[in-house]
Amino acid sequence: MDQLFKIEDFKFQHPISTRWKDLDAFRHINNAVFLSYIEDARIVLLKRWKINYAEKSLIVASVKIDYLKQVKHPSSLIIGQKVSRIGNKSFDIQSVIFVKGDFSPVCTSTITSVAFDFTLNQSIKVFQEIIDDYEK
């Protein structure tokens, strides 16, 4: 599976460094922390679209993570992300974590997000900014 993804596949790349507090009892980065890294990158990606959360909102409907390799501390990581699927009211963000300088994936993830209007309390059509980014 690790041969399917290359850093070059991702126009959006977010650097992040491991922290001592991310270690587990086995002295590698705890699997639960990977989701935090992906979430940090996802928030930066969403800012690209200039979505005003007072008017437009997104909710996470599903998260799938595949762990491919363990990561030791300290490490510099690069998280590649892209919109990999667009539906009417939902879309997927593909995320892959790479160790800087190694560039073989250590983790892959797909997050399904839903466009949502909290005033109407219902899902709505995916925002045009996201569709435009996907079509590039």
Side-chain angles (χ1 to χ4, degrees):
M1 176 176 235
D2 63 348
Q3 298 304 317
L4 297 178
F5 298 105
K6 298 181 201 102
I7 192 71
E8 300 84 25
D9 295 336
F10 300 91
K11 288 186 284 184
F12 177 80
Q13 298 177 10
H14 180 71
I16 197 163
S17 295
T18 61
R19 304 163 297 198
W20 183 82
K21 71 177 191 164
D22 298 340
L23 294 172
D24 63 14
F26 301 106
R27 303 194 43 79
H28 65 261
I29 302 302
N30 186 290
N31 286 356
V33 176
F34 284 63
L35 182 56
S36 296
Y37 296 156
I38 291 166
E39 181 70 7
D40 285 350
R42 190 175 71 87
I43 296 302
V44 175
L45 177 67
L46 297 178
K47 288 180 182 178
R48 246 172 58 137
W49 299 323
K50 296 178 175 58
I51 292 174
N52 176 349
Y53 288 101
E55 300 168 11
K56 301 175 178 180
S57 198
L58 298 170
I59 57 175
V60 172
S62 172
V63 176
K64 180 182 184 308
I65 298 178
D66 292 316
Y67 302 99
L68 306 171
K69 297 179 182 178
Q70 62 180 320
V71 175
K72 298 187 186 270
H73 174 71
S75 290
S76 295
L77 307 174
I78 298 174
I79 303 165
Q81 291 191 318
K82 64 182 176 183
V83 176
S84 59
R85 180 196 64 84
I86 293 274
N88 290 323
K89 297 181 178 185
S90 67
F91 63 98
D92 291 345
I93 297 175
Q94 179 73 54
S95 303
V96 179
I97 299 178
F98 301 89
V99 173
K100 187 176 181 180
D102 181 353
F103 297 116
S104 61
V106 296
C107 171
T108 65
S109 172
T110 302
I111 294 178
T112 301
S113 293
V114 175
F116 199 82
D117 184 322
F118 281 100
T119 304
L120 299 174
N121 199 32
Q122 65 184 26
S123 58
I124 57 176
K125 186 173 175 4
V126 171
F127 308 121
Q128 192 61 46
E129 298 89 337
I130 300 168
I131 295 168
D132 292 346
D133 199 26
Y134 175 71
E135 291 176 348
K136 286 182 185 178

